[in-house]
Amino acid sequence: MLRLFLGLFLVMTVGLILALQTVERTFDALLDGQMQSYNQEAVRGQAWSLTEQLRGLDGSARERQLEAVRPHYGLGLTLVESDQLALTDQEKAELAQGLLVIRDQYTQFISRIDDGPQLLSISLPAEPSLMPFYIAAAYLMIAVMIGFVLFFWVRPHWRDLETLRLAAERFGDNDLSARIQLSKRSNIRDLAEHFNLMAARIEGLIANQRELTNAVSHELRTPIARLSFELDQLKQQPDPTQNRKLIADMYADLGELEEMVSELLTYASLERGATVISRENIQASHWLDSVVGSVALEAEAAGVQLLIVECQVDEVRIEPRFMARAVINLLRNAIRYADERVEVSLVRTGDHYEVRVNDDGPGVPLDGREKIFEPFSRLDASRDRRTGGFGLGLALVRRVSQSHGGQVEVADSPWGGASFRMTWAHVD
């Protein structure tokens, strides 16, 4: 706090002194003519009275007259020769017009007595000997008052900044829950709120990273263990027919690993905001036909009827690759659990588009409708790969919808199964 206080104190004090000096000199220059006129009028009467008393006297008589009247005026009165003053042309002209010549910052006045070379110099009394001390004391009082006011202004700022520093230090020491609570009157409240948002975002990213790391390590063990087992079997299997079957299983496991890595990379890219969403205007019906067509064979193999029941939109503005991936994940999820049919539609409600995917499967329990959108989460932990997946598909759907300014939710379909609704904002 001391460094902050001293820095501001020196800047404000020096700045104020420079400002006062600048203002004083500026107004002295601007008002010089008016001040000269004012001082001429103020001294003109006394100068006239003195010159009237001196006019008509010779040099020695003038000196005696000044000695006689000097105690009564309280002014410095002297007789000077014009050639001793180095008068300028303007000063000579002023004297010729009967005006007073003013010098030394309005403290000396020179008046003509008669047509002779001798002039009368009138000087104001000297300032008190302690005037420099008084001026220094005045500036010191100003500095003390500035310091007093500045201290009470700096103290709450320093206290809040110290709170922010300590929170940042705790956060840097791996206390990711460190947050700042400041008064509503604090001038750095907005900064504190941004810090809290940043801290929450970082905490969430680190937690998500840890969760993904743990989940990925768990998910990778199964196909890797199967590959190791199949390689051991391949070494011990003399039958070529069985070898081909083992090799086919190994290719299936490799495909599973490749698909998992692809899903994971896409999810991680969207999660950390590394992917720029560049929207394009896409013809809606053609895009939806191509997306549904990409999973048509899977639906046919599963004995599920896949239909587009509605497309109310002529054109959509989306990032086609990620949005297609999200819709495909919804369709695959529906096909996996549907009994006989899956229906998909694309509609627009207000400023939002909505893709609906309905199936006639078992549906999603109420207590699991939020959990299924978390990465690597499954409602049925006992199901195998034939009915399961990696737990990334619906998490990826949520990230894609959020990146488009929307959301995804699940409810009951008209046939008792699941109804997934993914919405995103319309952007011009």
Side-chain angles (χ1 to χ4, degrees):
M1 177 180 174
L2 182 61
R3 292 180 59 185
L4 175 63
F5 172 77
L6 290 178
L8 288 174
F9 175 74
L10 289 175
V11 169
M12 291 188 65
T13 303
V14 173
L16 179 60
I17 293 174
L18 292 176
L20 291 174
Q21 292 293 322
T22 301
V23 170
E24 180 181 355
R25 295 179 184 276
T26 300
F27 276 89
D28 283 346
L30 292 175
L31 301 177
D32 182 64
Q34 298 180 36
M35 292 298 295
Q36 291 221 24
S37 298
Y38 171 79
N39 283 277
Q40 284 176 344
E41 289 298 312
V43 183
R44 183 166 60 90
Q46 299 179 72
W48 179 85
S49 174
L50 289 168
T51 55
E52 284 295 316
Q53 297 178 49
L54 298 175
R55 189 177 291 119
L57 301 176
D58 57 15
S60 59
R62 287 180 177 177
E63 286 290 348
R64 289 194 297 271
Q65 180 64 24
L66 279 183
E67 287 292 335
V69 301
R70 188 177 287 124
H72 304 290
Y73 276 84
L75 300 171
L77 305 176
T78 56
L79 294 172
V80 293
E81 299 297 325
S82 60
D83 55 359
Q84 297 176 352
L85 297 175
L87 297 171
T88 64
D89 293 339
Q90 180 179 353
E91 291 175 338
K92 292 178 180 178
E94 290 176 350
L95 289 173
Q97 297 173 13
L99 301 175
L100 293 175
V101 171
I102 302 177
R103 287 184 171 183
D104 297 336
Q105 296 183 339
Y106 319 115
T107 61
Q108 183 184 15
F109 303 85
I110 302 171
S111 175
R112 190 180 69 166
I113 300 174
D114 51 24
D115 294 334
Q118 199 171 50
L119 303 173
L120 175 63
S121 173
I122 304 173
S123 300
L124 297 179
E127 292 181 347
S129 59
L130 295 178
M131 184 58 69
F133 172 77
Y134 294 149
I135 294 175
Y139 278 110
L140 180 60
M141 290 178 64
I142 292 175
V144 170
M145 294 302 297
I146 290 175
F148 185 76
V149 174
L150 191 61
F151 175 82
F152 286 99
W153 183 82
V154 166
R155 189 172 183 278
H157 288 75
W158 173 83
R159 180 193 59 213
D160 293 343
L161 288 173
E162 184 68 9
T163 301
L164 178 60
R165 185 190 68 80
L166 292 175
E169 184 177 334
R170 293 198 309 272
F171 193 83
D173 291 337
N174 208 30
D175 181 7
L176 301 183
S177 63
R179 298 294 185 271
I180 305 172
Q181 299 296 330
L182 296 180
S183 168
K184 292 182 179 179
R185 297 187 299 272
S186 174
N187 289 328
I188 65 167
R189 181 176 173 82
D190 289 343
L191 177 61
E193 290 179 350
H194 284 295
F195 174 86
N196 290 340
L197 291 174
M198 177 199 70
R201 176 64 175 165
I202 293 175
E203 183 181 20
L205 288 174
I206 292 177
N208 183 262
Q209 182 184 33
R210 290 172 179 169
E211 180 182 354
L212 285 177
T213 301
N214 294 334
V216 167
S217 62
H218 174 75
E219 294 291 331
L220 290 176
R221 285 194 185 100
T222 301
I224 290 175
R226 287 204 303 264
L227 281 170
S228 298
F229 176 76
E230 288 158 352
L231 283 172
D232 291 339
Q233 291 294 312
L234 189 62
K235 291 179 183 179
Q236 302 173 10
Q237 184 58 252
D239 186 356
T241 304
Q242 293 296 327
N243 287 348
R244 285 194 295 270
K245 184 177 183 304
L246 287 172
I247 292 173
D249 289 341
M250 292 172 66
Y251 274 116
D253 290 331
L254 287 174
E256 182 178 324
L257 283 172
E258 182 179 1
E259 185 179 355
M260 182 191 303
V261 170
S262 176
E263 290 274 332
L264 180 61
L265 291 176
T266 302
Y267 177 81
S269 176
L270 290 171
E271 173 68 17
R272 68 174 183 268
T275 301
V276 178
I277 301 298
S278 300
R279 299 195 184 196
E280 303 175 17
N281 291 322
I282 304 295
Q283 213 286 330
S285 60
H286 292 168
W287 173 77
L288 190 59
D289 285 339
S290 66
V291 170
V292 172
S294 64
V295 294
L297 291 178
E298 297 178 31
E300 183 178 351
V304 174
Q305 185 181 19
L306 178 60
L307 298 174
I308 299 176
V309 296
E310 188 176 19
C311 183
Q312 298 177 353
V313 182
D314 295 329
E315 192 176 74
V316 289
R317 186 169 179 80
I318 56 174
E319 203 292 326
R321 182 169 63 91
F322 285 121
M323 189 60 72
R325 183 70 170 271
V327 177
I328 288 173
N329 285 356
L330 286 178
L331 292 174
R332 283 176 173 169
N333 181 78
I335 292 169
R336 184 177 298 120
Y337 295 104
D339 292 332
E340 296 181 358
R341 58 177 174 173
V342 172
E343 294 183 352
V344 58
S345 59
L346 173 59
V347 298
R348 179 172 177 177
T349 55
D351 291 333
H352 286 78
Y353 298 106
E354 181 178 302
V355 168
R356 300 173 186 168
V357 177
N358 297 330
D359 65 63
D360 60 350
V364 180
L366 287 174
D367 57 356
R369 291 183 179 180
E370 183 63 26
K371 181 181 177 182
I372 59 174
F373 295 107
E374 298 175 1
F376 296 106
S377 65
R378 300 187 185 89
L379 298 183
D380 183 4
S382 64
R383 62 188 180 179
D384 58 23
R385 295 296 180 188
R386 186 171 49 82
T387 60
F390 313 117
L392 276 175
L394 295 180
L396 183 60
V397 173
R398 169 177 278 182
R399 291 302 175 197
V400 171
S401 63
Q402 289 175 343
S403 68
H404 282 70
Q407 61 182 1
V408 61
E409 59 184 8
V410 60
D412 293 327
S413 73
W415 317 301
S419 176
F420 286 87
R421 299 183 179 184
M422 181 177 66
T423 62
W424 68 93
H426 170 73
V427 178
D428 293 328

